[in-house]
Amino acid sequence: MALLEKHLEIKESGIPGAGNGLFTTIYIAKGTRITEYKGRIATWKEVQNDDSNFYIFFVTQKHVIDASKHKKVLARYINDAKGLTRVKGRNNNTQFVKDKYRVFVEATRDIKEGSELCIGYGKEYWDIVRQNIKADVKKTSLKNA
């Protein structure tokens, strides 16, 4: 299966505070598999307490994809348009698709050339991020008291 890695580029995201994002240099039709989410294969037990790792994709208890140290994995640069910072008119245009133990990014609508790819991370992901932010704020407040 040919994916579109050679037609993707990493540059600053259009979502404030999101860092880098992933953009397409070509038109992508709805339903196209774009790229694969790859990384070190681990178990959930090995990674579940790593609150600083934002690149974990849970497939099963015994199969988790950890892309934290794999900076060439393009899928890790796709941001969530419905995350902490939202931009009016910007919506997610891709989705994760599991194929046995592999995970792909697929277009959920036609995507224009030059567009940023965006994908939903899921409610549970953002609940954990918000929980970590609150914990960091609390730690900082206690330090400064």
Side-chain angles (χ1 to χ4, degrees), residues 24-40:
T24 178
T25 61
I26 62 169
Y27 164 85
I28 299 173
K30 178 181 179 178
T32 302
R33 283 200 176 170
I34 301 167
T35 189
E36 184 175 357
Y37 197 92
K38 298 179 184 176
R40 178 180 76 91

Side-chain angles (χ1 to χ4, degrees), residues 115-132:
S115 297
E116 182 171 3
L117 303 180
C118 294
I119 199 162
Y121 293 176
K123 181 184 179 319
E124 187 176 317
Y125 176 90
W126 291 113
D127 287 348
I128 292 168
V129 168
R130 286 181 184 93
Q131 182 180 350
N132 289 340

Side-chain angles (χ1 to χ4, degrees), residues 69-133:
K69 294 185 174 130
H70 298 268
K71 295 185 179 185
K72 291 183 179 182
V73 173
L74 297 176
R76 70 177 255 156
Y77 294 97
I78 304 175
N79 293 306
D80 187 347
K82 304 298 179 193
L84 296 176
T85 305
R86 297 184 183 195
V87 176
K88 187 176 180 175
R90 185 170 301 244
N91 295 301
N92 292 325
N93 52 16
T94 65
Q95 66 183 356
F96 290 115
V97 176
K98 293 181 189 178
D99 187 351
K100 297 183 183 167
Y101 292 111
R102 296 173 73 187
V103 177
F104 296 91
V105 175
E106 186 175 281
T108 56
R109 60 182 63 156
D110 293 341
I111 304 171
K112 294 178 185 175
E113 176 183 338
S115 297
E116 182 171 3
L117 303 180
C118 294
I119 199 162
Y121 293 176
K123 181 184 179 319
E124 187 176 317
Y125 176 90
W126 291 113
D127 287 348
I128 292 168
V129 168
R130 286 181 184 93
Q131 182 180 350
N132 289 340
I133 290 170

